[in-house]
Amino acid sequence: MGFMSKVKRNLHLMLQRPPRQQYAALCYRMKKKQGLLEVLVATSRDTGRWVIPKGWPMTDKKAHQVAEREAYEEVGVKGKVEKEPLGHYHYRKTLDNGLKIPVVVQVHALEVDECLKSFPEKGSRKIAWVSCEEAATRVHEPELKILFLQFAEKMEPLLAGAQTKVVG
């Protein structure tokens, strides 16, 4: 490798920024009688793509608390959020100035027990309760697709057990 190639490679590494961090909520509810698991997806305000509620870190709030707050503000749900992350996914965020930055999103599961009629971003997004499989087809990020499908697998035994109790 020549001198100029090394300089170019090193310069590229120096200019490459580490990904910014966001926190998200994978909001779900179980319809035990039907044996159904539903997850909540919403459109983003800027591009209209299907996403899950997420946001930037907040002062004096832990990651799971940020995820819980974003779920309330963006899609109007409240419930029990898991402290441990479910997983992560990456995407490129386009800033207002057009710059695209890498972002890693830490995802926390949130079991919804209340859907509010009024919340801060009501009317600025479409919201849909869908299966994990349908959510995986709607979102663009490959790692988020996988998270939805893994979540469905993880929850399957809980739904089967609940359905047996209802029937039996």
Side-chain angles (χ1 to χ4, degrees):
M1 183 183 283
F3 175 74
M4 287 308 290
S5 296
K6 285 182 182 177
V7 169
K8 185 178 174 184
R9 189 173 142 266
N10 287 338
L11 184 61
H12 176 72
L13 289 174
M14 286 174 17
L15 294 175
Q16 201 174 30
R17 293 182 176 176
R20 298 272 310 270
Q21 179 75 59
Q22 284 188 319
Y23 303 111
L26 190 154
C27 305
Y28 72 97
R29 64 185 179 191
M30 293 190 289
K31 297 201 163 195
K32 295 176 182 172
K33 288 183 182 178
Q34 297 93 345
L36 292 175
L37 169 66
E38 293 182 318
V39 292
L40 189 58
V41 290
T43 56
S44 69
R45 288 187 299 176
D46 51 356
T47 65
R49 292 183 316 112
W50 290 101
V51 296
I52 59 176
K54 66 184 174 300
W56 302 106
M58 297 177 188
T59 307
D60 298 329
K61 287 205 183 298
K62 294 180 180 174
H64 68 282
Q65 293 170 319
V66 172
E68 183 177 40
R69 175 73 177 262
E70 294 300 327
Y72 158 69
E73 289 181 359
E74 294 183 10
V75 294
V77 298
K78 292 199 172 200
K80 184 181 183 324
V81 67
E82 296 290 326
K83 288 182 181 178
E84 290 302 311
L86 185 61
H88 297 81
Y89 72 94
H90 296 81
Y91 80 105
R92 295 187 73 74
K93 169 94 174 148
T94 305
L95 301 178
D96 291 341
N97 63 8
L99 184 68
K100 290 188 178 207
I101 61 167
V103 178
V104 61
V105 183
Q106 181 174 303
V107 180
H108 293 263
L110 185 148
E111 185 172 12
V112 174
D113 55 40
E114 188 179 1
C115 294
L116 304 169
K117 287 186 167 85
S118 179
F119 52 95
E121 295 184 21
K122 183 177 176 73
S124 63
R125 303 171 184 273
K126 291 180 187 169
I127 298 171
W129 284 100
V130 297
S131 69
C132 287
E133 294 75 16
E134 174 63 23
T137 66
R138 290 190 185 199
V139 298
H140 291 193
E141 299 79 9
E143 294 167 311
L144 183 53
K145 291 175 184 285
I146 292 167
L147 271 179
F148 276 122
L149 299 175
Q150 288 174 335
F151 186 69
E153 283 180 22
K154 175 183 169 183
M155 299 301 284
E156 203 171 289
L158 293 173
L159 283 168
Q163 200 173 17
T164 304
K165 287 178 187 173
V166 171
V167 174

